[in-house]
Amino acid sequence: MSSISSVIHQATSCLCDSRGSMHLQQLQQHLQERCRLSDGDFIYIIQGCPQRFLLVPEGNSYTVVGRTSLRLCRTYSRGDRCEGSCQQLHLCKFYVFGNCRFGKGRKLCKLSHDVHSAHNFALLRECTLHELKDNELFLLLLQNDPQLLPETQMLLGSVKQLRQTRLRKSVCTSSGTAAGSNWEVYDGTTWSDLENMEEIEQDYCKPASTRSSDYQQVDFVTMTLESMPVRRLSTVSSVMKPPHYSLTTQWLWYYKGDQGDWVEYGQLDEKQLSTSATSQTLEEAFLSGKKAEVEVIKGRRVYVVSFKGTIISPLLSHLDQPL
């Protein structure tokens, strides 16, 4: 087997080449072709490096998402002098985006475009990211650094649960963008990252959960931790971008079935019935601001999903009544 550091580098490179995430089996196949890796060694490395690889449940398997704790220095990005031994990268964020208007013409950018400066290279080497290509490193940063999230949406209130209704909106973890979300708490002065935000995000993705399960219990209804406000930073909704746009969040809409379970719109319930509206239909209507109501047909019933006031109201109350 190749050295562990070499395998980690190869795995990270594969993930970056695949827009930041891959199905577990797909990643395993790629690595075994390159590194002569046994099944046991592969699982050992992926599970043993949580600082680099996030395993997101997807059906009976997992999606592997690339991770890094490296961030761009906010002080440096503001153009201020960074004092002391800074453990964050000194780079122009627009250079990371690939759209800095300086550096290509006569006028030079005031911020560094040098990924391998003495300061940056020492941090990259410490995090074993120094062998990545620039575009691979940039994708990893874009996927993990909250200040680089494109068109960041701050959710100060809960959109997951619309209060006193039977409709819930949750986020899809299988899109590979769950790592593109960030949870912060406000202590009265500043917003700071919550610990174990991946676990909080996984709880948030479950439509039945109203709070996180770890010791930092975030209330998803009031979006608070104890009495402190909590916000979730997220990439733009996937319905607002073309399919090839990878850095988006896919939102799923659920309703509560007769048996008390949450069923995604457009999917089959326990009676093998589905709704005419899908998650995408509701998300598009929710974001449009023009269509306050969506007609939903399920079996012999017609419902109206309204984003104002009462969320679900049946228009026909009898199952045996034809439409």
Side-chain angles (χ1 to χ4, degrees), residues 234-252:
S234 173
T235 51
V236 68
S237 175
S238 59
V239 303
M240 299 182 67
K241 293 292 182 181
H244 65 270
Y245 196 89
S246 60
L247 293 176
T248 59
T249 296
Q250 182 183 357
W251 290 95
L252 305 181

Side-chain angles (χ1 to χ4, degrees), residues 290-305:
K290 300 177 182 179
K291 194 172 184 180
E293 297 180 340
V294 177
E295 184 178 277
V296 179
I297 301 173
K298 182 183 179 185
R300 295 174 178 267
R301 284 185 175 181
V302 178
Y303 300 87
V304 171
V305 176

Side-chain angles (χ1 to χ4, degrees), residues 68 70-74 76-77 82 85-93 95-96 110-132 134 137-138 141 145:
T68 180
L70 270 184
R71 302 287 186 264
L72 296 191
C73 176
R74 295 186 182 228
Y76 179 82
S77 295
C82 187
S85 180
C86 180
Q87 295 300 302
Q88 297 175 320
L89 295 171
H90 289 179
L91 278 174
C92 167
K93 69 177 182 179
Y95 179 61
V96 176
K110 295 180 180 179
L111 302 180
S112 175
H113 288 195
D114 186 1
V115 175
H116 296 97
S117 67
H119 173 83
N120 291 335
F121 186 79
L123 294 175
L124 293 173
R125 189 174 185 85
E126 183 179 344
C127 296
T128 64
L129 296 175
H130 58 290
E131 294 182 352
L132 287 181
D134 286 2
L137 173 65
F138 293 165
L141 291 173
D145 191 337

Side-chain angles (χ1 to χ4, degrees), residues 270-290:
E270 70 281 355
K271 297 179 181 179
Q272 299 301 297
L273 296 175
S274 66
T275 57
S276 58
T278 64
S279 285
Q280 181 168 338
T281 305
L282 294 179
E283 180 68 5
E284 289 173 347
F286 178 73
L287 295 176
S288 69
K290 300 177 182 179

